[in-house]
PDB file of all heavy atoms in Angstrom:
ATOM      1  N   VAL A  81     172.269  44.077 194.324  1.00  0.00           N
ATOM      2  CA  VAL A  81     172.426  44.586 195.687  1.00  0.00           C
ATOM      3  C   VAL A  81     172.962  43.470 196.580  1.00  0.00           C
ATOM      4  O   VAL A  81     172.422  42.365 196.585  1.00  0.00           O
ATOM      5  CB  VAL A  81     171.071  45.081 196.238  1.00  0.00           C
ATOM      6  CG1 VAL A  81     171.209  45.532 197.691  1.00  0.00           C
ATOM      7  CG2 VAL A  81     170.526  46.205 195.367  1.00  0.00           C
ATOM      8  N   CYS A  82     174.032  43.744 197.299  1.00  0.00           N
ATOM      9  CA  CYS A  82     174.620  42.768 198.215  1.00  0.00           C
ATOM     10  C   CYS A  82     174.723  43.344 199.614  1.00  0.00           C
ATOM     11  O   CYS A  82     175.048  44.516 199.777  1.00  0.00           O
ATOM     12  CB  CYS A  82     176.040  42.393 197.774  1.00  0.00           C
ATOM     13  SG  CYS A  82     176.088  41.490 196.243  1.00  0.00           S
ATOM     14  N   GLU A  83     174.488  42.504 200.592  1.00  0.00           N
ATOM     15  CA  GLU A  83     174.739  42.870 201.984  1.00  0.00           C
ATOM     16  C   GLU A  83     176.101  42.318 202.398  1.00  0.00           C
ATOM     17  O   GLU A  83     176.483  41.227 201.962  1.00  0.00           O
ATOM     18  CB  GLU A  83     173.651  42.268 202.879  1.00  0.00           C
ATOM     19  CG  GLU A  83     172.277  42.854 202.636  1.00  0.00           C
ATOM     20  CD  GLU A  83     172.045  44.154 203.396  1.00  0.00           C
ATOM     21  OE1 GLU A  83     172.871  44.479 204.285  1.00  0.00           O
ATOM     22  OE2 GLU A  83     171.054  44.838 203.093  1.00  0.00           O
ATOM     23  N   TYR A  84     176.801  43.064 203.233  1.00  0.00           N
ATOM     24  CA  TYR A  84     178.133  42.658 203.675  1.00  0.00           C
ATOM     25  C   TYR A  84     178.183  42.513 205.203  1.00  0.00           C
ATOM     26  O   TYR A  84     177.754  43.418 205.921  1.00  0.00           O
ATOM     27  CB  TYR A  84     179.184  43.672 203.199  1.00  0.00           C
ATOM     28  CG  TYR A  84     179.298  43.654 201.685  1.00  0.00           C
ATOM     29  CD1 TYR A  84     178.468  44.442 200.889  1.00  0.00           C
ATOM     30  CD2 TYR A  84     180.178  42.791 201.054  1.00  0.00           C
ATOM     31  CE1 TYR A  84     178.524  44.385 199.502  1.00  0.00           C
ATOM     32  CE2 TYR A  84     180.252  42.729 199.667  1.00  0.00           C
ATOM     33  CZ  TYR A  84     179.424  43.521 198.904  1.00  0.00           C
ATOM     34  OH  TYR A  84     179.482  43.448 197.539  1.00  0.00           O
ATOM     35  N   ALA A  85     178.628  41.373 205.660  1.00  0.00           N
ATOM     36  CA  ALA A  85     178.794  41.115 207.097  1.00  0.00           C
ATOM     37  C   ALA A  85     179.630  39.854 207.239  1.00  0.00           C
ATOM     38  O   ALA A  85     179.803  39.099 206.272  1.00  0.00           O
ATOM     39  CB  ALA A  85     177.435  40.905 207.768  1.00  0.00           C
ATOM     40  N   THR A  86     180.150  39.610 208.434  1.00  0.00           N
ATOM     41  CA  THR A  86     180.790  38.317 208.663  1.00  0.00           C
ATOM     42  C   THR A  86     179.728  37.240 208.521  1.00  0.00           C
ATOM     43  O   THR A  86     178.536  37.490 208.710  1.00  0.00           O
ATOM     44  CB  THR A  86     181.395  38.222 210.082  1.00  0.00           C
ATOM     45  OG1 THR A  86     180.325  38.270 211.032  1.00  0.00           O
ATOM     46  CG2 THR A  86     182.380  39.343 210.347  1.00  0.00           C
ATOM     47  N   PHE A  87     180.151  36.026 208.201  1.00  0.00           N
ATOM     48  CA  PHE A  87     179.188  34.934 208.061  1.00  0.00           C
ATOM     49  C   PHE A  87     178.422  34.733 209.369  1.00  0.00           C
ATOM     50  O   PHE A  87     177.210  34.508 209.373  1.00  0.00           O
ATOM     51  CB  PHE A  87     179.910  33.635 207.676  1.00  0.00           C
ATOM     52  CG  PHE A  87     178.981  32.452 207.598  1.00  0.00           C
ATOM     53  CD1 PHE A  87     177.939  32.435 206.681  1.00  0.00           C
ATOM     54  CD2 PHE A  87     179.142  31.375 208.448  1.00  0.00           C
ATOM     55  CE1 PHE A  87     177.072  31.352 206.623  1.00  0.00           C
ATOM     56  CE2 PHE A  87     178.283  30.291 208.382  1.00  0.00           C
ATOM     57  CZ  PHE A  87     177.244  30.279 207.467  1.00  0.00           C
ATOM     58  N   GLU A  88     179.124  34.838 210.485  1.00  0.00           N
ATOM     59  CA  GLU A  88     178.484  34.622 211.782  1.00  0.00           C
ATOM     60  C   GLU A  88     177.375  35.632 212.032  1.00  0.00           C
ATOM     61  O   GLU A  88     176.344  35.307 212.617  1.00  0.00           O
ATOM     62  CB  GLU A  88     179.548  34.724 212.880  1.00  0.00           C
ATOM     63  CG  GLU A  88     179.040  34.238 214.227  1.00  0.00           C
ATOM     64  CD  GLU A  88     180.077  34.443 215.337  1.00  0.00           C
ATOM     65  OE1 GLU A  88     181.232  34.803 215.031  1.00  0.00           O
ATOM     66  OE2 GLU A  88     179.712  34.237 216.498  1.00  0.00           O
ATOM     67  N   GLU A  89     177.590  36.861 211.587  1.00  0.00           N
ATOM     68  CA  GLU A  89     176.631  37.932 211.902  1.00  0.00           C
ATOM     69  C   GLU A  89     175.599  38.167 210.818  1.00  0.00           C
ATOM     70  O   GLU A  89     174.614  38.876 211.039  1.00  0.00           O
ATOM     71  CB  GLU A  89     177.395  39.231 212.186  1.00  0.00           C
ATOM     72  CG  GLU A  89     178.184  39.130 213.488  1.00  0.00           C
ATOM     73  CD  GLU A  89     178.868  40.427 213.889  1.00  0.00           C
ATOM     74  OE1 GLU A  89     178.937  41.351 213.047  1.00  0.00           O
ATOM     75  OE2 GLU A  89     179.343  40.489 215.039  1.00  0.00           O
ATOM     76  N   MET A  90     175.793  37.597 209.642  1.00  0.00           N
ATOM     77  CA  MET A  90     174.842  37.864 208.557  1.00  0.00           C
ATOM     78  C   MET A  90     173.510  37.162 208.830  1.00  0.00           C
ATOM     79  O   MET A  90     173.457  35.951 209.011  1.00  0.00           O
ATOM     80  CB  MET A  90     175.408  37.446 207.204  1.00  0.00           C
ATOM     81  CG  MET A  90     174.524  37.957 206.064  1.00  0.00           C
ATOM     82  SD  MET A  90     175.235  37.738 204.432  1.00  0.00           S
ATOM     83  CE  MET A  90     176.548  38.951 204.472  1.00  0.00           C
ATOM     84  N   THR A  91     172.453  37.935 208.846  1.00  0.00           N
ATOM     85  CA  THR A  91     171.121  37.397 209.164  1.00  0.00           C
ATOM     86  C   THR A  91     170.490  36.773 207.926  1.00  0.00           C
ATOM     87  O   THR A  91     170.913  37.016 206.793  1.00  0.00           O
ATOM     88  CB  THR A  91     170.185  38.512 209.654  1.00  0.00           C
ATOM     89  OG1 THR A  91     170.021  39.454 208.582  1.00  0.00           O
ATOM     90  CG2 THR A  91     170.757  39.224 210.878  1.00  0.00           C
ATOM     91  N   GLU A  92     169.436  36.007 208.169  1.00  0.00           N
ATOM     92  CA  GLU A  92     168.700  35.426 207.048  1.00  0.00           C
ATOM     93  C   GLU A  92     168.155  36.541 206.138  1.00  0.00           C
ATOM     94  O   GLU A  92     168.151  36.416 204.919  1.00  0.00           O
ATOM     95  CB  GLU A  92     167.560  34.533 207.563  1.00  0.00           C
ATOM     96  CG  GLU A  92     166.861  33.781 206.442  1.00  0.00           C
ATOM     97  CD  GLU A  92     166.121  32.536 206.937  1.00  0.00           C
ATOM     98  OE1 GLU A  92     165.642  32.538 208.084  1.00  0.00           O
ATOM     99  OE2 GLU A  92     166.026  31.571 206.145  1.00  0.00           O
TER     100      GLU A  92
END
Side-chain angles (χ1 to χ4, degrees):
Chain A
V81 176
C82 293
E83 294 276 348
Y84 294 87
T86 65
F87 177 62
E88 192 184 351
E89 291 185 347
M90 190 171 289
T91 63
E92 186 158 31

